[in-house]
Amino acid sequence: MKKSERDILKRSKEITENYFQFLDNHIEDVVLGKTEEFMEINQIASALFISHKHLTDTVQKETGSHPCHFYDLKILDEAKKMLLETDKTISEIAKILTYDPSNFSKFFKKFIGQTPGQFRKENKK
């Protein structure tokens, strides 16, 4: 492999890692109320000083999935954490995650296969 190809692969990995780190920080800011709403992928790309297309192409090439897929999974991880570790209502959790409660339940069920209430009931100790 040529040096330039190695550099491209290294940069692709760096962009993907930066994206994941940005998501973790951004989602935490939303949960803590430091940010009022989730950013769009194009806004995240701008914050990372790359184009939307370059971010999307790079993450998809590195992982096999679109950046939105990981965004959704990280939001769901936070939702599951709140469902299991807090006594907040599902409506409160939805609002913290900037969702309308009914849309949040549909979003959650689409990915997890059960409603937030079912998930909490079956998994909370």
Side-chain angles (χ1 to χ4, degrees), residues 108-115 118:
F108 192 93
K109 187 171 183 177
K110 177 183 169 186
F111 281 90
I112 306 302
Q114 53 191 178
T115 66
Q118 291 167 331

Side-chain angles (χ1 to χ4, degrees), residues 82-83 86-93 96 120 124:
M82 284 191 270
L83 285 165
T86 74
D87 291 325
K88 288 179 174 35
T89 66
I90 292 164
S91 181
E92 288 173 316
I93 292 170
I96 289 168
R120 176 180 264 168
K124 194 163 184 178

Side-chain angles (χ1 to χ4, degrees), residues 1 5 8-9 17 31 37-38 40 48 50-51 58 62 69 86 100 109 115 117:
M1 186 179 310
E5 290 173 348
I8 290 170
L9 291 175
E17 289 173 358
V31 170
E37 58 187 34
F38 286 112
E40 301 288 331
L48 295 173
I50 56 176
S51 72
T58 301
E62 281 289 311
H69 174 75
T86 74
D100 172 83
K109 187 171 183 177
T115 66

